[in-house]
Amino acid sequence: MAGKTMSLRIDEEQARALEAAAMAGGTTVSEIVRDAISERIEQLRNDKDFQARLKRALERNREALELLAK
């Protein structure tokens, strides 16, 4: 799978828990993290409050970019 490589700092307890979960589940830490990210993105897509904040942020950014484009 082609994709972006990222570095993530987590505390030792989280690292041990992830490694144990991966080992017990017969998968990789990377796969667990990718799945968790996908689940969180889906939650945000379905969160009406988040979507309203996102739309306001998009509008602010659009306005700022239009000012620069003049």
Side-chain angles (χ1 to χ4, degrees):
M1 168 176 63
K4 181 174 177 110
T5 300
M6 299 183 80
S7 176
L8 174 68
R9 287 196 190 278
I10 59 174
D11 64 39
E12 286 295 321
E13 185 177 338
Q14 288 176 320
R16 286 193 306 272
L18 274 171
E19 289 164 358
M23 187 175 15
T27 189
T28 65
V29 168
S30 292
E31 188 63 29
I32 291 173
V33 171
R34 282 191 297 270
D35 288 348
I37 291 168
S38 293
E39 286 177 23
R40 181 62 177 145
I41 290 169
E42 189 62 27
Q43 288 172 352
L44 292 172
R45 285 182 174 144
N46 293 312
D47 181 326
K48 289 183 173 119
D49 291 333
F50 175 81
Q51 289 298 317
R53 291 190 307 274
L54 177 61
K55 286 178 183 173
R56 287 192 299 272
L58 287 169
E59 182 61 25
R60 284 192 307 273
N61 286 326
R62 184 188 62 77
E63 290 170 0
L65 291 170
E66 286 176 353
L67 285 172
L68 289 172
K70 289 183 179 180

